[in-house]
Amino acid sequence: MPLTPRPELGLLADYSTALASAVPVRVRASSNEARDGLSPAVRAAVVARLESANRYPQLGGGQLAAAIAAHLGVAADQVAAGDGSLSLLNYVLLAYCRPGASVVHAWRSYEAYPICIRTAGAEPVGVANLPDGSHDLAGLAAAIGPGTAAVILCSPNNPTGTALSHTQVADFLGRVPDSVLVVLDEAYLDFCACADPVRSLELLAEHANLVVLRTFSKAYGLAGLRVGHLVARAEVVRTVRRILPPFAVNALAEVAAVAALADPQHRAGIVADVVAQRAEVMALLDAHGIPYAASEANFVWLPLGERSTELGGRCAELGISTRVFAGEGIRITVGEPGLLPALSDALAAYADAGVPATT
Ligand SMILES: Cc1ncc(COP(=O)(O)O)c(C=O)c1O
């Protein structure tokens, strides 16, 4: 009998990458990262901890969880940290999905979701977004059935950038049975400037089935160090901690995250740059008559359908890496220096080549 992996792993799509190009990348607009490196305070903390990198991080990561909890104004036992919020999503699903369960999620949303869901032995149930790129909350609620273990909401949504309001999420939670976990992925929350932003931590008081995921990868600029956290009721956190590795966050990431929390100006600078450049990018798209979804994230989604690859190619020729979902759209990260002029040239070449198509 040959060595055989679980058959459902054959159903997993490959994670998408930036388009390959012969032109060197000078504007990295494909991965929703922060524009510049570590703040001096974070760098100093990391370098200092490097001296004792032969030592394990703190068992269970309690100090980091306590620092995050203090920052958020929740109890320390309501927080667990991990090596990125994606890793925590895996553990949450592993903890709550019984074999044969299903997990409902919006689509298109973060492409890792179906992978995490299948990894947990569950079946992904994708519910198509509304034409404006936002979650179809009525459709998501209707897709919940007796076998549903969890629903994943992503706000702002990757890759469409649309955000849910507090009212929408509160109403949605009211419609989900208590036995179904609701995972609210807020990786891009810091960039959201909408009128009624989700106050997810308040919602935990009423909803024992809510898990909030956040990350240091985006607004804190620590993507390469890998730190994310979940906030939930203490019972849920305790459950997830049972299967988290004992050293879920490495020692350098641990001190970096604590130092980043104490350095709010750095985060504020990253957010301010994104919000300002996002408005400029959307104005540029308006000027070229190119459709986009209203973004509350550090990227903008252009639903160009069959012409998405063409614009991706134009960008690549000008040294801008982007993320193209062929036949659907193209996602362009904002906040990187040099994006505006290069994108302006790419859009001009694209617009000259034909009338933009929408999906
Ligand atoms: C919606 C969403 N959630 C989670 C993640 C993963 O974040 P982390 O770096 O914390 O694993 C990403 C990364 O791009 C994302 O887009």
Side-chain angles (χ1 to χ4, degrees):
M1 171 84 170
L3 192 61
T4 315
R6 286 164 45 199
E8 64 271 27
L9 300 192
L11 301 171
L12 302 182
D14 286 339
Y15 209 40
S16 68
T17 52
L19 285 186
S21 167
V23 179
V25 174
R26 60 193 173 90
V27 182
R28 206 171 132 107
S30 51
S31 297
N32 300 344
E33 299 151 331
R35 74 184 176 214
D36 49 21
L38 303 183
S39 74
V42 170
R43 178 183 299 273
V46 170
V47 170
R49 183 61 176 88
L50 208 46
E51 292 300 321
S52 56
N54 56 314
R55 303 295 178 198
Y56 280 112
Q58 193 202 12
L59 183 73
Q63 281 165 8
L64 174 57
I68 294 168
H71 176 76
L72 298 176
V74 299
D77 61 2
Q78 287 190 266
V79 174
D83 58 331
S85 58
L86 182 55
S87 178
L88 288 167
L89 176 63
N90 271 319
Y91 289 110
V92 169
L93 295 177
L94 281 167
Y96 285 93
C97 292
R98 292 193 172 78
S102 63
V103 176
V104 175
H105 61 93
W107 199 250
R108 186 167 275 281
S109 189
Y110 186 29
E111 61 186 318
Y113 294 155
I115 300 174
C116 297
I117 294 165
R118 287 205 192 277
T119 303
E123 184 69 24
V125 178
V127 174
N129 289 325
L130 297 173
D132 66 358
S134 64
H135 284 15
D136 175 1
L137 290 170
L140 287 162
I144 296 172
T148 306
V151 183
I152 306 174
L153 304 179
C154 185
S155 179
N157 184 44
N158 177 10
T160 58
T162 53
L164 296 168
S165 69
H166 184 80
T167 313
Q168 284 178 310
V169 174
D171 288 352
F172 182 77
L173 281 163
R175 284 196 268 164
V176 176
D178 294 345
S179 57
V180 175
L181 201 69
V182 177
V183 180
L184 175 60
D185 183 343
E186 298 193 318
Y188 301 98
L189 174 73
D190 306 67
F191 306 111
C192 182
C194 64
D196 180 25
V198 185
R199 301 183 302 281
S200 47
L201 305 183
E202 281 178 25
L203 293 169
L204 287 170
E206 275 179 63
H207 299 283
N209 57 338
L210 175 63
V211 173
V212 177
L213 290 177
R214 296 200 181 161
T215 182
F216 284 83
S217 296
K218 310 297 178 183
Y220 286 97
L222 302 186
L225 283 166
R226 315 298 305 125
V227 198
H229 53 285
L230 68 80
V231 192
R233 290 277 191 94
E235 313 85 82
V236 175
V237 172
R238 237 184 344 264
T239 301
V240 176
R241 276 181 183 280
R242 293 175 78 91
I243 57 170
L244 268 186
F247 305 111
V249 180
N250 77 67
L252 303 183
E254 195 174 59
V255 295
V258 172
L261 288 174
D263 186 10
Q265 290 87 347
H266 190 70
R267 174 196 159 279
I270 291 171
V271 171
D273 277 6
V274 164
V275 171
Q277 205 192 69
R278 185 172 71 196
E280 290 176 316
V281 167
M282 293 199 281
L284 193 61
L285 294 167
D286 283 335
H288 286 282
I290 292 179
Y292 59 87
S295 174
E296 297 290 345
N298 66 343
F299 51 84
V300 178
W301 170 251
L302 285 49
L304 300 179
E306 295 308 323
R307 292 195 67 202
S308 308
T309 310
E310 185 187 331
L311 179 59
R314 300 269 179 204
C315 287
E317 282 164 14
L318 293 164
I320 314 171
S321 66
T322 61
R323 196 65 69 95
V324 172
F325 297 95
E328 291 181 57
I330 172 169
R331 191 194 71 196
I332 302 176
T333 305
V334 302
E336 296 283 332
L339 175 67
L340 256 308
L343 184 61
S344 177
D345 291 347
L347 291 174
Y350 171 85
D352 284 350
V355 180
T358 53
T359 46

